[in-house]
Amino acid sequence: MKNRFFWPLLLGVALLLRLWQITAALWYDEVFSALMAGLPLPLLLEAAAGDVHPPTYYLLLSAIGMVAGAGEIAMRLPSLLASMALIPLAYRLARSLRANTTTARLVALITALAPYQLYYSIEARSYALLSLAVGLAALGLVERRYWLAVAGSLIALYLHNTGGVFLAPLWLVSLRNERRYWLAGAVVAVGYLPGLWWAVAQAGHITGNYWVPPLTSPGRLVATLDDMVWFFPKSPYVFASSLVTGLLLLLILLDARRLPRLALAALFGPLLLLALASIVWQPLLISRVMAPAALFLYILAGWVINRSPTRRWALGLLAAPVLLATLAGMITWQLGRDPVDRELAAELRQYDGIYHSSVGGAVMWRYYLPDTPQFLYPQGDTELAATLSPQTRQALGLYEIDLGLIKCATVATPAGNIPMRRWAFLYFHNPVTAPDEIEFVASTLQNYPTRPIADLRHDDTTAAALVELTPECDHAAIYH
Amino acid sequence: MTEYYLAWLQLINTRDQFYLLALLLVAAGLVWYKLGPLHHKFAATYIGGGVLLVSGLVGWGATLV
């Protein structure tokens, strides 16, 4: 394709695909970001300290929120911009690693169209920005622009506590006996000291984070690499996509000696480090954590695909239908994001108040229905319930109170006293739900007059429903 | 441990084994392609492409049901 058409076409298509779902309802993690961004600074820092990430990303969203509000588009804007910037960066990095123009364009093409990138391009979490920061650090190291390497590294380290896992292999493989290299490394090390202090303080909170599955099979490494291209948990093309990924992975391993060492180290280094940490310390390896290494997988993929015309044709013919089908699926199935929440909002507004059994539900609806009185079943500190620490729950303003105490209460709100006669009771059981919470839901459904309103999800790993709760009320306490 | 947690672990383990199997299948195909005589190379290519096509079609069919 002629030079002048390639970039406008590629960036245009990439932007369209990314904008497609940008107004979709936020999911739990994104709502958490948005709620954090809406907190006053001291509370934001307190809530972040009780969680597992540095506060930097929330501070950025907070600044955006002050200008543009906390809507879906505003909260997703940094990810969108970072994801778009990653495409030319992928090209430039591939070229700097001595890829020819065709290979570098192929790398840019994969970066632009990979479903994994599309997903994170509009997720209000730090992964797209983190990928860009690590990519910039890599470019700085390859091109000996050490100011860029320092800036990219520090941004990555302050965006996510796993930043070092991606940077260490990059810096080690770029090791040069140059004064500027050591000086730059020292600036990063000293600059990260406050962040390191923060990360070490947070490391204790990770205990009991059961939502990362324990690493039990080497198959997880292949599954993670597959996710880093195709990411689409509900894809029916998973068999076809896994065969394409398997082929790419084997070609990368077979060609390893000809491939740029930096890209190999930046992909397999973090993968093996996270796998090792998952075995000896805590489960850490999930596909989203590997986001910053995806760029290097695309560089290696571009390299092995473009090695001969046969490979270009074979892999192009094999991968193109899977890609097109997956993209079509992502567009029609809303990227795996659940669209039900907005429809539910209208339903939930009709109730005097909402009682949540789960933190997830409480966080979601605090964002979407900020004016409705909402309460949460007291979570305690059992291991499986450690999705949010008590400190973070308190800073976010989630009111944990026993249903028995407030079921017939009148709640004093700025809008006046609201008698809580009609409750919406929302429960959401998932793999990290504590057994006592499941028991509480079962007993509530048994002990109060209830009317099922909507079965939200129901399969082997989740059960969620909205139930109307109308307790018999003889008295009316006032709850402030 | 809740039933949801155990079902989730089972799902993830199955997925991991599936990916391992896919990788081994591709590796076997690649060895066959590399070491086999010329007409086997054609066979390996067609069978590999066929498997992909069929699995893609089955996946697509699954969305229609």
Side-chain angles (χ1 to χ4, degrees):
Chain A
M1 194 185 288
K2 287 232 164 76
N3 265 339
R4 60 201 161 116
F5 293 125
F6 178 78
W7 284 107
L9 197 64
L10 185 70
L11 293 175
V13 170
L15 186 63
L16 274 181
L17 285 170
R18 280 158 176 74
L19 286 176
W20 188 261
Q21 298 280 323
I22 199 159
T23 55
L26 303 176
W27 77 285
Y28 169 77
D29 276 19
E30 297 178 285
V31 163
F32 180 73
S33 301
L35 285 182
M36 292 287 278
L39 294 175
L41 188 63
L43 270 183
L44 190 159
L45 292 174
E46 196 186 318
D51 196 43
V52 292
H53 300 297
T56 322
Y57 180 68
Y58 305 123
L59 291 171
L60 173 70
L61 287 191
S62 181
I64 291 173
M66 282 175 199
V67 182
E72 283 96 355
I73 297 179
M75 293 294 103
R76 286 169 169 161
L77 195 62
S79 296
L80 176 72
L81 297 176
S83 164
M84 285 303 291
L86 193 69
I87 303 167
L89 175 71
Y91 177 87
R92 171 74 177 261
L93 184 58
R95 287 292 284 152
S96 296
L97 289 168
R98 309 222 174 123
N100 64 30
T101 320
T102 318
T103 301
R105 282 182 175 188
L106 202 54
V107 173
L109 183 76
I110 300 172
T111 312
L113 299 183
Y116 183 82
Q117 293 302 317
L118 296 187
Y119 187 86
Y120 289 107
S121 70
I122 53 158
E123 183 168 83
R125 298 296 289 167
S126 61
Y127 299 102
L129 275 169
L130 182 64
S131 305
L132 184 70
V134 171
L136 287 172
L139 189 69
L141 286 166
V142 174
E143 296 187 354
R144 287 181 158 83
R145 290 168 196 265
Y146 288 113
W147 61 271
L148 190 59
V150 169
S153 300
L154 282 175
I155 294 172
L157 287 165
Y158 276 97
L159 272 175
H160 205 283
N161 285 337
T162 59
V165 171
F166 300 93
L167 295 168
L170 276 178
W171 280 82
L172 278 176
V173 86
S174 314
L175 184 68
R176 295 182 197 106
N177 204 5
E178 280 176 22
R179 223 178 114 245
R180 287 170 62 222
Y181 172 92
W182 291 104
L183 192 65
V187 172
V188 173
V190 173
Y192 183 52
L193 281 178
L196 186 66
W197 173 77
W198 176 284
V200 169
Q202 279 186 328
H205 293 292
I206 297 177
T207 312
N209 256 342
Y210 273 76
W211 52 270
V212 182
L215 179 61
T216 47
S217 159
R220 178 80 50 79
L221 304 186
V222 192
T224 306
L225 290 168
D226 188 72
D227 280 347
M228 286 160 71
V229 183
W230 303 104
F231 181 83
F232 199 29
K234 291 177 192 161
S235 175
Y237 317 110
V238 62
F239 193 62
S241 73
S242 68
L243 291 176
V244 174
T245 314
L247 184 56
L248 275 177
L249 181 59
L250 286 168
L251 289 176
I252 288 172
L253 295 176
L254 287 174
D255 283 1
R257 277 168 52 193
R258 299 163 201 255
L259 295 170
R261 274 172 55 218
L262 179 124
L264 286 168
L267 173 63
F268 293 109
L271 187 67
L272 297 176
L273 280 173
L274 288 169
L276 190 69
S278 299
I279 293 166
V280 300
W281 181 50
Q282 286 282 333
L284 288 178
L285 186 65
I286 42 167
S287 64
R288 61 176 47 234
V289 174
M290 279 295 288
L295 170 64
F296 305 99
L297 174 60
Y298 308 153
I299 289 177
L300 295 171
W303 224 288
V304 294
I305 293 170
N306 197 36
R307 239 194 83 197
S308 71
T310 323
R311 282 197 189 177
R312 275 201 298 275
W313 277 105
L315 276 155
L317 282 174
L318 292 179
V322 186
L323 179 66
L324 285 175
T326 310
L327 290 180
M330 291 186 91
I331 288 168
T332 40
W333 302 324
Q334 304 234 354
L335 272 172
R337 289 189 167 92
D338 211 329
V340 77
D341 301 316
R342 286 230 184 87
E343 294 161 24
L344 251 188
E347 179 80 39
L348 282 170
R349 276 201 190 93
Q350 302 168 12
Y351 291 89
D352 296 331
I354 308 173
Y355 195 82
H356 299 280
S357 71
S358 72
V359 176
V363 166
M364 283 298 291
W365 293 106
R366 210 180 134 63
Y367 173 77
Y368 276 109
L369 295 174
D371 300 326
T372 305
Q374 298 183 44
F375 303 91
L376 171 63
Y377 168 69
Q379 296 293 305
D381 273 327
T382 51
E383 271 187 334
L384 284 173
T387 47
L388 284 185
S389 70
Q391 183 181 344
T392 306
R393 298 201 300 266
Q394 199 177 354
L396 280 176
L398 304 179
Y399 301 116
E400 295 175 42
I401 190 158
D402 216 43
L403 178 62
L405 289 175
I406 55 161
K407 63 182 168 41
C408 293
T410 295
V411 176
T413 72
N417 291 349
I418 302 172
M420 308 295 280
R421 299 293 165 91
R422 282 187 74 223
W423 287 87
F425 179 61
L426 259 172
Y427 68 86
F428 180 35
H429 297 331
N430 63 24
V432 296
T433 304
D436 71 286
E437 188 179 312
I438 295 172
E439 222 169 274
F440 160 72
V441 170
S443 75
T444 304
L445 295 181
Q446 208 174 11
N447 294 339
Y448 293 106
T450 54
R451 189 165 68 94
I453 304 294
D455 195 13
L456 303 172
R457 277 193 208 174
H458 211 92
D459 55 44
D460 287 350
T461 57
T462 48
L466 168 63
V467 175
E468 186 181 304
L469 203 60
T470 43
E472 307 282 337
C473 296
D474 302 327
H475 65 283
I478 290 194
Y479 178 76
H480 292 272
Chain B
M1 302 290 159
T2 65
E3 56 179 304
Y4 302 102
Y5 182 73
L6 295 172
W8 178 64
L9 272 192
Q10 176 74 35
L11 198 74
I12 285 172
N13 286 339
T14 311
R15 184 172 177 256
D16 289 349
Q17 302 317 326
F18 163 81
Y19 276 100
L20 204 55
L21 180 71
L23 184 74
L24 291 175
L25 268 178
V26 179
L30 211 60
V31 170
W32 185 27
Y33 181 89
K34 284 263 176 198
L35 301 181
L38 189 62
H39 63 285
H40 279 206
K41 286 191 201 303
F42 285 112
T45 309
Y46 283 118
I47 290 174
V51 167
L52 268 179
L53 190 69
V54 169
S55 62
L57 281 174
V58 168
W60 176 67
T63 63
L64 302 179
V65 193

